[in-house]
Amino acid sequence: MPLYGRGVRSFPLNSLVDFKKGGAGLKYEVALSIHTNEIIWIRGPLPASVHDISMFRGCTAEQKKQKKIDKNAFIFHIPPGKKGVGDSGCKFEVSFIIFYFF
């Protein structure tokens, strides 16, 4: 299958298009321990069109209404009372993420 340059609208599989970056690809969620400097979580690949917050929560707003929530999402693996450091993609999950400007 030929790739069609960086034109978002011309790519044949829109689910693989990251509209923020303007190209096709896959997305991974990776968590690192700030204490041990080890990778503690990897999830993916998922289509690049999935928003960061949807990946973290395990569902989009529409999927949440339909009760189609992926219980393998990172949010369900955070121990009670613990928080992570995240970027602006997860700034609305203040119960789980400390927002940090990168």
Side-chain angles (χ1 to χ4, degrees), residues 12-93:
L13 298 172
N14 277 342
S15 68
L16 296 178
V17 174
D18 182 351
F19 293 98
K20 187 165 95 178
K21 303 273 192 245
L26 297 170
K27 189 173 276 193
Y28 291 84
E29 182 178 49
V30 178
L32 305 171
S33 169
I34 60 173
H35 299 291
T36 63
N37 203 26
E38 295 176 324
I39 296 172
I40 58 172
W41 178 263
I42 298 177
R43 182 168 181 228
L46 293 174
S49 60
V50 175
H51 296 283
D52 294 347
I53 193 69
S54 298
M55 181 185 284
F56 178 71
R57 292 176 177 160
C59 63
T60 62
E62 187 60 38
Q63 290 169 327
K64 189 173 185 177
K65 291 177 191 173
Q66 299 170 2
K67 309 267 190 236
K68 294 181 180 177
I69 299 172
D70 182 3
K71 295 293 185 177
N72 291 320
F74 188 46
I75 196 169
F76 298 108
H77 296 276
I78 299 174
K82 299 289 183 180
K83 289 189 176 190
V85 177
D87 64 3
S88 62
C90 295
K91 66 183 174 187
F92 298 109
E93 287 294 344

